[in-house]
Amino acid sequence: QAQLLESGGGSVQAGGSLRLSCVASAEIYSAGLIMGWFRQAPGSERQGVAAIDKSGDTSYADSVKGRFTISKDNVKMTLYLQMDDLKPEDAGMYTCATTSPVMNVFQALQVMARGLHLNRGQGTQVTVSS
């Protein structure tokens, strides 16, 4: 069964760090899809946060560049998002998603923001207090 399962969310103070994980089923991971994260806070639009393709090319939303790092472990079939120097505006539901590999990682951010991903998980909540 194709699925994505996130974990690692929680509550931190501004300036703190969290690492999100997304375990993918073999069906998804072996498909060579672009994998990434999008987030959404109540009353806000969905935003593509970071994406990585099978060759390791990455892209980030401007608001998280230099603070977030996306990576993946091919053995564990797991996607990660290391989030450092968190700010209150980073709070929201973070969801792992995939997009078609025919696009580049920059387009993938826009695709996720528009809800046109292929697969998605249930999300993990991130809260950042000031």
Side-chain angles (χ1 to χ4, degrees):
Q1 181 178 0
Q3 63 178 2
L4 298 167
L5 183 62
E6 304 97 331
S7 63
S11 297
V12 296
Q13 291 189 327
S17 298
L18 284 173
R19 188 176 80 155
L20 307 183
S21 299
C22 172
V23 179
S25 62
E27 176 181 347
I28 288 179
Y29 206 89
S30 63
L33 305 173
I34 293 175
M35 300 184 71
W37 298 88
F38 67 86
R39 67 186 181 187
Q40 189 165 23
S44 298
E45 294 185 349
R46 186 185 298 115
Q47 179 186 29
V49 175
I52 186 169
D53 67 13
K54 64 179 180 179
S55 65
D57 288 341
T58 60
S59 65
Y60 298 91
D62 288 343
S63 60
V64 307
K65 284 181 181 176
R67 300 186 297 120
F68 289 14
T69 303
I70 190 170
S71 63
K72 57 190 178 75
D73 185 320
N74 292 332
V75 174
K76 296 181 178 179
M77 297 189 293
T78 300
L79 179 73
Y80 300 102
L81 185 67
Q82 177 67 41
M83 306 187 295
D84 298 318
D85 190 22
L86 282 160
K87 303 177 180 182
E89 52 264 41
D90 293 320
M93 181 68 75
Y94 282 70
T95 305
C96 175
T98 67
T99 68
S100 169
V102 301
M103 66 187 72
N104 62 47
V105 288
F106 302 97
Q107 294 170 323
L109 293 183
Q110 299 305 315
V111 167
M112 288 188 288
R114 291 161 58 190
L116 300 177
H117 41 266
L118 297 177
N119 313 95
R120 60 165 291 171
Q122 294 300 308
T124 185
Q125 186 69 41
V126 171
T127 303
V128 184
S129 57
S130 57

